[in-house]
């Protein structure tokens, strides 16, 4: 699940991660980017909808681009009742693009939530040079 301040960034990152999973059926991925009206921002409503689309009872890993995206997801994790996110939703502390690819590739192998989070942790130390 990808949360960005930009709808285009979230969608493009999801598409890239799906393309890099290789053959087979990728795990579900959803993008929640921008405000409801399409402007730059973060929407609790879009985040809730996206998490519910990817959660299949096994949990969901959320990657956020920065700042208020993280704060929005943290606030949603603290909610209870009908507006609460499903159980086992976790925020990954990882770079957005690299973490998204690592998460989706790992989840697509059938790995559990802890393994997916471990893969996103590894993405923090990817060296490029």
């Amino acid at each position: 699940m990808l949360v960005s301040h930009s709808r285009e960034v979230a969608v493009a990152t999801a598409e890239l991660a799906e393309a890099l999973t290789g053959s087979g059926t990728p795990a579900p991925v959803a993008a929640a980017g921008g405000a409801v009206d399409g402007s730059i921002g973060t929407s609790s409503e879009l985040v809730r909808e996206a998490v519910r689309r990817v959660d299949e009872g096994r949990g969901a890993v959320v990657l956020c681009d920065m700042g208020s995206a993280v704060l929005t997801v943290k606030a949603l994790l603290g909610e209870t009742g009908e507006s609460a996110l499903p159980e086992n939703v976790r925020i990954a502390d990882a770079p957005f693009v690299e973490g998204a690819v690592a998460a989706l590739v790992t989840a697509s192998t059938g790995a559990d939530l802890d393994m997916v989070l471990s893969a996103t942790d590894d993405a923090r130390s990817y060296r490029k040079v």
Side-chain angles (χ1 to χ4, degrees), residues 11-56:
V11 169
T13 303
E15 290 172 350
L16 175 64
E18 284 181 313
L20 295 176
T21 60
S23 61
T25 304
V29 61
V36 173
D37 66 4
S39 63
I40 297 296
T42 307
S43 165
S44 297
E45 180 181 331
L46 293 177
V47 171
R48 270 192 209 94
E49 290 172 11
V51 167
R52 289 190 177 118
R53 281 196 311 271
V54 299
D55 178 52
E56 296 178 334

Side-chain angles (χ1 to χ4, degrees), residues 2-116:
L2 304 170
V3 181
S4 173
H5 286 74
S6 164
R7 178 173 295 156
E8 292 81 8
V9 168
V11 169
T13 303
E15 290 172 350
L16 175 64
E18 284 181 313
L20 295 176
T21 60
S23 61
T25 304
V29 61
V36 173
D37 66 4
S39 63
I40 297 296
T42 307
S43 165
S44 297
E45 180 181 331
L46 293 177
V47 171
R48 270 192 209 94
E49 290 172 11
V51 167
R52 289 190 177 118
R53 281 196 311 271
V54 299
D55 178 52
E56 296 178 334
R58 296 178 48 195
V61 173
V62 180
L63 286 111
C64 303
D65 61 359
M66 64 185 108
S68 65
V70 176
L71 296 175
T72 298
V73 175
K74 282 185 173 184
L76 290 171
L77 288 171
E79 290 186 6
T80 58
E82 287 185 25
S83 62
L85 295 178
E87 287 188 44
N88 291 323
V89 173
R90 309 263 289 282
I91 300 174
D93 182 15
F96 194 67
V97 174
E98 293 90 337
V101 172
L104 191 58
V105 167
T106 304
S108 295
T109 68
D112 66 14
L113 188 64
D114 288 332
M115 291 296 293
V116 173

